[in-house]
Amino acid sequence: MTVELCGVRWLLVFSDEGALARYARARGESDRSWPYRMVWGAAVLDAGVPAVAGAAGLPCGVLVDAGDGERGLVLPPVTGIVPEAVAVDRSHAATELGTEGGRS
Protein backbone atom coordinates (compact mmCIF):
# COMPACT_ATOMS: atom_id res chain seq x y z
CA MET A 1 0.00 0.00 0.00
CA THR A 2 1.42 3.40 -0.93
CA VAL A 3 0.49 7.05 -0.74
CA GLU A 4 1.94 10.07 -2.50
CA LEU A 5 2.75 13.14 -0.47
CA CYS A 6 4.95 16.12 -1.41
CA GLY A 7 6.40 14.44 -4.49
CA VAL A 8 7.42 11.28 -2.63
CA ARG A 9 5.73 7.88 -2.85
CA TRP A 10 5.51 6.42 0.66
CA LEU A 11 5.33 2.68 1.22
CA LEU A 12 3.09 1.98 4.22
CA VAL A 13 4.34 -0.84 6.44
CA PHE A 14 3.16 -2.08 9.81
CA SER A 15 5.14 -3.76 12.56
CA ASP A 16 2.30 -6.10 13.51
CA GLU A 17 -1.40 -6.82 13.00
CA GLY A 18 -2.35 -4.45 15.81
CA ALA A 19 -0.64 -1.52 14.06
CA LEU A 20 -2.48 -2.35 10.82
CA ALA A 21 -5.77 -2.56 12.77
CA ARG A 22 -5.15 0.87 14.32
CA TYR A 23 -4.48 2.29 10.84
CA ALA A 24 -7.73 0.78 9.54
CA ARG A 25 -9.67 2.25 12.49
CA ALA A 26 -8.07 5.69 11.96
CA ARG A 27 -9.31 5.57 8.34
CA GLY A 28 -12.77 4.44 9.40
CA GLU A 29 -12.28 1.20 7.47
CA SER A 30 -11.97 -1.38 10.21
CA ASP A 31 -15.04 -3.25 8.95
CA ARG A 32 -13.33 -4.52 5.79
CA SER A 33 -10.67 -7.14 5.19
CA TRP A 34 -7.06 -5.92 4.94
CA PRO A 35 -4.94 -8.55 3.19
CA TYR A 36 -1.26 -8.30 4.05
CA ARG A 37 2.07 -10.05 3.57
CA MET A 38 4.70 -10.49 6.24
CA VAL A 39 8.24 -9.63 5.07
CA TRP A 40 11.56 -8.76 6.67
CA GLY A 41 12.29 -5.05 7.03
CA ALA A 42 15.44 -5.46 4.95
CA ALA A 43 13.35 -6.80 2.07
CA VAL A 44 11.12 -3.73 2.25
CA LEU A 45 14.13 -1.43 2.00
CA ASP A 46 16.29 -3.45 -0.41
CA ALA A 47 13.61 -4.64 -2.83
CA GLY A 48 10.31 -2.91 -2.07
CA VAL A 49 11.54 0.68 -2.12
CA PRO A 50 13.38 0.38 -5.48
CA ALA A 51 10.39 -1.42 -7.02
CA VAL A 52 7.95 1.26 -5.89
CA ALA A 53 10.30 4.09 -6.87
CA GLY A 54 10.78 2.61 -10.33
CA ALA A 55 7.08 2.04 -10.90
CA ALA A 56 6.05 5.45 -9.57
CA GLY A 57 8.90 7.43 -11.12
CA LEU A 58 9.20 9.19 -7.74
CA PRO A 59 11.48 8.87 -4.73
CA CYS A 60 10.15 6.31 -2.27
CA GLY A 61 10.33 6.36 1.50
CA VAL A 62 8.73 4.19 4.15
CA LEU A 63 6.12 5.05 6.76
CA VAL A 64 6.18 2.51 9.58
CA ASP A 65 2.97 2.21 11.60
CA ALA A 66 1.25 5.21 10.00
CA GLY A 67 -1.71 5.99 12.20
CA ASP A 68 0.15 5.35 15.44
CA GLY A 69 1.01 9.01 15.99
CA GLU A 70 4.27 9.44 17.85
CA ARG A 71 4.89 5.68 17.76
CA GLY A 72 5.13 5.80 13.98
CA LEU A 73 8.42 6.09 12.14
CA VAL A 74 9.37 7.94 8.95
CA LEU A 75 12.19 6.49 6.85
CA PRO A 76 12.95 9.11 4.18
CA PRO A 77 14.41 8.22 0.77
CA VAL A 78 17.99 9.18 1.66
CA THR A 79 21.33 7.37 1.67
CA GLY A 80 21.91 5.25 4.71
CA ILE A 81 18.24 4.28 4.79
CA VAL A 82 17.21 3.25 1.27
CA PRO A 83 19.53 1.80 -1.37
CA GLU A 84 21.80 4.53 -2.68
CA ALA A 85 20.65 3.97 -6.26
CA VAL A 86 17.18 5.32 -5.35
CA ALA A 87 18.16 7.82 -2.64
CA VAL A 88 17.41 11.47 -3.39
CA ASP A 89 20.79 12.54 -2.00
CA ARG A 90 22.90 9.88 -3.72
CA SER A 91 26.42 10.86 -4.62
CA HIS A 92 27.13 12.35 -8.02
CA ALA A 93 29.85 9.73 -8.50
CA ALA A 94 27.27 6.96 -8.15
CA THR A 95 24.97 8.68 -10.63
CA GLU A 96 27.69 9.38 -13.17
CA LEU A 97 29.34 5.96 -12.91
CA GLY A 98 26.08 4.03 -12.66
CA THR A 99 27.28 2.36 -9.48
CA GLU A 100 26.37 2.64 -5.85
CA GLY A 101 28.66 4.90 -3.87
CA GLY A 102 31.04 5.27 -6.79
CA ARG A 103 32.28 1.68 -6.32
CA SER A 104 32.91 -0.40 -9.39
Side-chain angles (χ1 to χ4, degrees):
M1 191 165 36
T2 65
V3 296
E4 186 178 329
L5 181 63
C6 299
V8 176
R9 179 65 66 172
W10 296 95
L11 185 57
L12 303 179
V13 301
F14 302 93
S15 57
D16 57 29
E17 290 177 350
L20 176 57
R22 288 187 296 277
Y23 177 77
R25 276 194 302 278
R27 292 181 50 94
E29 298 182 42
S30 59
D31 59 338
R32 73 172 184 90
S33 175
W34 287 78
Y36 63 91
R37 177 182 298 174
M38 295 176 70
V39 297
W40 290 103
V44 170
L45 294 172
D46 294 342
V49 167
V52 170
L58 295 170
C60 180
V62 179
L63 298 178
V64 180
D65 295 341
D68 272 354
E70 292 180 7
R71 292 179 294 197
L73 177 65
V74 176
L75 300 173
V78 296
T79 55
I81 295 178
V82 301
E84 188 166 345
V86 295
V88 294
D89 64 338
R90 65 184 172 267
S91 72
H92 293 292
T95 304
E96 292 171 9
L97 296 174
T99 61
E100 289 190 21
R103 296 184 302 267
S104 50

